[in-house]
Amino acid sequence: MREQWDALVGPDNFYNSYGWLRSLELAHGSEDIVTASCDGTLLGALPTWPGDADGPGLFCLPDMLPGLALRRPADYLWLGARRSVYNELVCVRGELRHPTLTGLVHGALTVARARGAAGLVLPYLAPDDAVDLARAHPRARVLLHDADANMDVPAGGSRDQFTRMSQPDRTRRRAELRACDRAGTVVKWLRLTGETGRAAADLVTQNRARYGGTADPALMRRSFAAQRRSGVLEQAVGCFGIRAGRPLAVTVCYTHHDRLYARYYGFDYRTAEPACEYFVLTYRAPLDYAAAHGLSRYRLAVSAWNLKARRGATLSPLAAVVLPLDHEVCSRERALAFNRAVARRWRQRCAARPQAMGTEWGRWDAVRPGPDP
């Protein structure tokens, strides 16, 4: 199954790879996965998860899609990888794609009905995949709601990226590097073995606690242990900031095909003050690592988009496919207007850096984003 599953997973879909999903199952328990096969060959799959508890956040439907009459997040059956902020479909291409997606959607609706859910939602979805999925059901709607950030890795790594920046941005980046150097922080790339894995778990937990998450490192330790059992931790590498001989900060990244993914950041706030380690470990050092290892794209995900755009990231649209069980979330015309408004807001946000807006936004300004009626 692993080989067949990963054969349907592209380079930008790491969080729906077999190893990552298996690690989530080991850490959080199993969930239903809707699959479609023919003669023993896997054609497609839709992982499910229960969604977050009620409240604001990255997986709160009213926050994601303001202005639409949506029920609470827990009322929906969520599709895609658990808490993934980038999803692509695990599905065959070609003439079998549409019938496979149609079967998967109807299978997911069956699961939703059995659970008493209000409908289906697959968030943070690549727009082309969102359009394909929505074509599988006449009441499904594609709704833009966020932007994904990534960087194409230049041959010279951060040095080449640096030369492409404006003079004010270069001045700020130099100041960050000097601050890190003055603090005596040294960058080291280390595999997450027992000792380094425990250090990374503690640092990431401190960062999460600082921003309202749990202060118990057992959660991250359990996640890393599950990743070790699934084999996906072999794809992980920690970009550590070492100060006075001990790990002070870390950005945990994963390799997948020719991509490098930034996933977790952590810092030891209990014993030290930051000296721009976040910027060095999350933006500068990974570009150099990726260039040295022949990787072509550095994936930075959502949030803090302004910081990422200033450092040369490109922003691409992300969409949710929403399908209530017994009604339309909105008309096709309302979806069209909604998506145009979202695209316009993102252009306004990036008005000072229009080069940060990827070419994919153009279709949402002028072209009907939903499936054909």
Side-chain angles (χ1 to χ4, degrees):
M1 173 64 79
R2 185 178 196 129
E3 292 76 15
Q4 290 192 28
W5 186 289
D6 283 342
L8 301 174
V9 173
D12 291 313
N13 201 18
F14 168 64
Y15 296 117
N16 283 277
S17 66
Y18 187 95
W20 185 263
L21 291 171
R22 175 61 177 154
S23 75
L24 294 177
E25 180 182 44
L26 291 169
H28 302 284
S30 61
E31 299 290 344
D32 289 323
I33 298 178
V34 182
T35 62
S37 302
C38 180
D39 295 330
T41 299
L42 182 69
L43 298 179
L46 279 177
T48 74
W49 64 289
D52 281 351
D54 293 334
L58 291 173
F59 298 92
C60 176
L61 278 179
D63 288 352
M64 290 164 53
L65 302 168
L68 299 177
L70 290 164
R71 299 188 187 183
R72 299 176 302 143
D75 286 339
Y76 280 77
L77 177 66
W78 290 68
L79 308 177
R82 177 187 290 264
R83 293 191 59 80
S84 173
V85 291
Y86 185 86
N87 292 293
E88 291 182 1
L89 297 174
V90 181
C91 187
V92 67
R93 298 282 175 179
E95 63 181 12
L96 291 178
R97 186 170 176 85
H98 178 67
T100 298
L101 291 175
T102 300
L104 290 173
V105 167
H106 284 281
L109 286 170
T110 299
V111 175
R113 290 190 183 94
R115 294 188 182 183
L120 308 175
V121 57
L122 203 172
Y124 299 100
L125 187 58
D128 285 346
D129 280 14
V131 170
D132 286 350
L133 185 64
R135 286 196 178 106
H137 197 286
R139 288 191 286 102
R141 294 292 179 266
V142 178
L143 299 165
L144 297 186
H145 68 93
D146 214 321
D148 176 61
N150 62 80
M151 295 182 182
D152 289 331
V153 179
S158 65
R159 183 184 67 251
D160 285 358
Q161 188 77 359
F162 190 80
T163 62
R164 301 174 185 178
M165 295 179 181
S166 67
Q167 183 58 52
D169 284 342
R170 287 200 298 271
T171 298
R172 295 186 186 99
R173 304 297 81 78
R174 288 193 186 101
E176 292 166 0
L177 289 172
R178 287 196 298 269
C180 197
D181 288 342
R182 284 196 301 269
T185 304
V186 177
V187 176
K188 288 187 178 180
W189 289 88
L190 302 170
R191 293 291 173 183
L192 299 188
T193 60
E195 182 178 352
T196 55
R198 286 189 294 272
D202 180 66
L203 295 171
V204 171
T205 299
Q206 287 195 51
N207 194 66
R208 288 183 166 182
R210 185 180 180 90
Y211 295 100
T214 178
D216 184 0
L219 176 63
M220 279 307 307
R221 291 174 184 170
R222 186 169 72 246
S223 294
F224 285 150
Q227 291 176 32
R228 184 172 290 107
R229 289 175 61 192
S230 77
V232 80
L233 199 64
E234 296 176 7
Q235 298 170 239
V237 60
C239 181
F240 283 89
I242 309 296
R243 198 190 294 179
R246 64 181 183 84
L248 182 83
V250 67
T251 296
V252 178
C253 299
Y254 295 80
T255 58
H256 176 68
H257 290 254
D258 63 344
R259 309 296 202 248
L260 183 68
Y261 288 72
R263 178 66 184 185
Y264 309 107
Y265 178 76
F267 188 87
D268 188 358
Y269 298 101
R270 290 192 296 254
T271 65
E273 290 293 325
C276 294
E277 283 84 1
Y278 169 75
F279 303 108
V280 174
L281 301 184
T282 304
Y283 298 102
R284 178 177 177 270
L287 281 179
D288 292 333
Y289 180 91
H293 289 80
L295 305 175
S296 67
R297 181 171 295 175
Y298 180 40
R299 300 198 58 88
L300 287 156
V302 301
S303 302
W305 62 268
N306 54 336
L307 296 179
K308 296 167 184 176
R310 289 172 191 167
R311 287 157 180 81
T314 299
L315 305 180
S316 300
L318 292 173
V321 171
V322 183
L323 175 56
L325 286 186
D326 55 6
H327 65 283
E328 295 178 348
V329 67
C330 64
S331 68
R332 295 183 187 279
E333 292 71 22
R334 178 71 178 95
L336 175 62
F338 182 92
N339 290 335
R340 282 179 172 167
V342 171
R344 184 168 59 250
R345 284 197 298 273
W346 277 98
R347 290 197 185 280
Q348 291 169 349
R349 289 171 178 171
C350 294
R353 290 180 173 80
Q355 69 279 7
M357 295 291 286
T359 59
E360 304 97 322
W361 293 96
R363 69 180 295 180
W364 305 96
D365 291 326
V367 179
R368 183 182 184 88
D372 295 333

